Every structure is written in C-alpha cells, then in structure tokens.
Amino acid sequence: MSIRVGIVGISGFGGGEALRLVAGHPHFDLVYAAGEGSAGSRLGERFPGLPARLADLVIRKWDPAGLPALDLLFASLPTGTSAAALAQVPDRVKIVDLGGDHRDAEGWAYGMADLWPERIRGQQRVANPGCFPAATLTALAPLLAGGLVEPGNIIIDAKTGISGAGRGGASNGFGYAESNENLVPYGLLRHVHMPEMARAIERLGGGSAAGLVFTPHLVPMTRGLLATIYTRGQATTEQCLDAARRFYAGRPFIRVTERPPQTKWATGSNLAFVSYAADPERGLVMAMGAIDNLGKGAAGQAVQNANLLCGLPETAGLEGMPVWP
C-alpha cells in the first residue's frame, strides 16, 4: 500500500522531523515538499542525510492551488498562517495540521491519538496537539478520567528544548548565545496552549478548569519536554500508577514508570513517559510527563494520527528506539 504524501513547511524543525519519519515509513511515498525560504532547492541540499531516492525532490513554494495528486498532507506552519491556505486543499486529501489553527475548529478532529484514537480513525482532517498539551494531558488523563484529582486546581510547570521555539526562534532572542546556560520563562498567563489544555481537562475531568496555571520555560537543550503538574486529590502514588496502567493498557507509545521520567528517555521517538508522586495527607498529587517535543510533541504524533486516518497500523514507521545517549 503506497500513500502519496506531501509536507508543507519542510525546512522548519517540525517539518524536518516529519520528513525524517516519512522517509522511513513503510507505506508513505513523499512526492511533494513545500517551503518558503527553501523553495527551489533540492531536499538533498537541505538534508544531506536523506535516502538517495528523495534527494533530488525539489522544494516548491507553498501554493495550495498547485498541489499534485496527494493522499495525505502534513502542514507544519506557524500558528495563524495555515487556516486560509488549508481551506483550499481538496476534501479528498487527508490533512494533519501540526500548527495551532485548527485545534478547536469545526470539522477537525483533535489529534490526541493516545487518548481518543476512535475520534481520529476515518476522519479527513486532524489538528495535532501542541507539544505542551501532549506531555501534560498524557500525564493528567488517567487521574482526571478516574476522578483522582480536581480539574479546577491544576498548576503546570513545563520545560522544553530550544527547538520548541521553532527555526525562527533565533530572531526572537532564543538563539544559541541567548539560550546557552540560560533558563527562560515565557508566554506567562497567555500562552497559546492554555485554551487547548483547559478544554481537554474539562472534557476529561467533567468540571471547570478555571483555576489552571501554566508556566512554560525554554531550557538550553535541543529537544525534549518535561511537564511537572501539581494537583489536589487524596490518591496515593500507587493508586495513580495503577490508574495510568489501566488507562493506557495496550497503548503502544505510553510508558508508565515508577521512576520520575527524563526527557532523554524519549529523544528521537514517539514515546511518552508518565509517572506520579502523591501525598494524601497534604492532598497533593504530582503528575509528570516526558516527551520529545519534536516527536510525540509534533511530527511523531502527526504520523501516528496519519496512520489512524489512513487505516494503517498505529505504530507504522514509529517503532524505532529512542536515541541514546
């Protein structure tokens, strides 16, 4: 089964990671690549390690009216730039949008593949979650669904690698000189992922998420994301772990661990590691989620969603081990 695939925004970090996964996918055939600054160059010039069969594919300027015959399109564009263009893509083309324009849009499934795969299978349009929601909601979901914590009293402290700022991060003060040996909080009280997380928390917990607090940080590493989440509840650590083991039973990409998770465990993979620590006497439950922000937080989850869209095994092209060390 050969599925004709295109990638828009291929020269960005998310698009480049999508390229890496598509290039090794057993059912995907990349026939279209589009970008802005890279248009006109060959893929092999931008990505010298590509398989030879893809090296001569020329990157085109993104034009939704000029698409070749495609079955599936990955769109990795900055939030706020994709809605109008993707509306011009023919309905027959399946789309996975890695950007933020469609996460609450009518006609688009929300692509938390490990939580709601049945809402994605057979759809035509899927909006990938943001990287912070991917780590946070994966850790919180078993607790909220099991009624072990309160949805209205959640504090999220999350840290991501610099690639989370995108390739344009250097122009925003997130280049090497500014980021090396530095820790930077940003997007305080108004981060674009806040509404997305609040909606999902309310869906899972059945109550208001009005008390949600979220503080993201950039840390001086290339990739990786760790979310530490503080909630209120009377559960024990073992009850939280048991709830997660039951909730994710049979899910191929979730690892429930008794040890606090580390970002390095997930590097280069679509895995998510979750763990918990609880103190019932204080009514405190801590949830932790670790992912690769370009893997489960972006392109890995996008390929998982695409597999569900296309009726393929969910793990197709995603079973490689993380990179270590």
Side-chain angles (χ1 to χ4, degrees):
M1 182 182 191
S2 181
I3 295 170
R4 292 171 59 86
V5 173
I7 301 175
V8 178
I10 201 160
S11 53
F13 292 140
E17 185 73 356
L19 169 62
R20 183 178 74 86
L21 295 174
V22 167
H25 197 286
H27 302 290
F28 290 168
D29 180 19
L30 184 69
V31 298
Y32 175 80
E36 289 297 323
S38 58
S41 59
R42 295 183 303 110
L43 273 182
E45 296 170 7
R46 302 285 300 191
F47 303 94
L50 268 180
R53 60 185 169 80
L54 296 176
D56 288 332
L57 186 65
V58 175
I59 301 173
R60 303 188 193 182
K61 187 173 179 60
W62 167 226
D63 177 10
L67 289 177
L70 294 178
D71 302 306
L72 172 67
L73 180 69
F74 293 98
S76 184
L77 299 169
T79 297
T81 65
S82 66
L86 293 182
Q88 302 177 51
V89 175
D91 292 342
R92 59 176 172 74
V93 180
K94 296 177 171 63
I95 302 176
V96 180
D97 184 6
L98 281 72
D101 285 11
H102 295 102
R103 290 171 185 154
D104 192 36
E106 185 176 352
W108 289 73
Y110 183 56
M112 279 292 294
D114 299 299
L115 271 60
W116 298 300
E118 71 284 353
R119 300 184 184 187
I120 300 165
R121 290 188 180 96
Q123 300 296 316
Q124 289 293 106
R125 302 286 190 270
V126 171
N128 232 43
C131 55
F132 288 116
T136 299
L137 297 174
T138 301
L140 278 177
L143 308 184
L144 290 166
L148 297 180
V149 300
E150 302 170 10
N153 198 344
I154 294 175
I155 298 172
I156 304 163
D157 183 339
K159 298 171 176 64
T160 186
I162 300 301
S163 61
R167 187 177 289 278
S171 63
N172 296 323
F174 299 138
Y176 177 82
E178 295 91 350
S179 301
N180 184 47
E181 299 187 24
N182 199 9
L183 180 61
V184 183
Y186 71 104
L188 304 181
L189 303 178
R190 53 181 175 81
H191 193 279
V192 293
H193 290 169
M194 277 278 288
E196 176 185 350
M197 287 192 286
R199 287 192 298 270
I201 288 169
E202 291 175 349
R203 180 187 299 178
L204 287 160
S208 172
L212 179 65
V213 177
F214 170 49
T215 305
H217 304 76
L218 285 175
V219 297
M221 60 185 184
T222 300
R223 56 203 289 170
L225 193 158
L226 175 66
T228 304
I229 307 140
Y230 305 90
T231 69
R232 308 304 300 181
Q234 299 301 316
T236 65
T237 298
E238 194 56 40
Q239 286 173 328
C240 294
L241 290 167
D242 285 345
R245 293 181 185 117
R246 292 193 302 271
F247 191 88
Y248 290 120
R251 302 303 297 146
F253 297 113
I254 308 300
R255 303 288 187 269
V256 181
T257 171
E258 296 181 7
R259 299 162 57 194
Q262 304 173 24
T263 60
K264 196 74 171 178
W265 294 355
T267 301
S269 79
N270 190 47
L271 296 176
F273 293 86
V274 299
S275 191
Y276 305 91
D279 185 346
E281 292 185 3
R282 290 195 292 159
L284 172 66
V285 177
M286 295 173 58
M288 293 156 279
I291 63 171
D292 184 331
N293 61 291
L294 295 180
K296 176 62 75 179
Q301 181 134 244
V303 170
Q304 184 180 356
N305 281 321
N307 288 338
L308 289 166
L309 287 184
C310 296
L312 299 172
E314 199 169 340
T315 56
L318 294 170
E319 295 185 286
M321 285 183 60
V323 177
W324 183 267

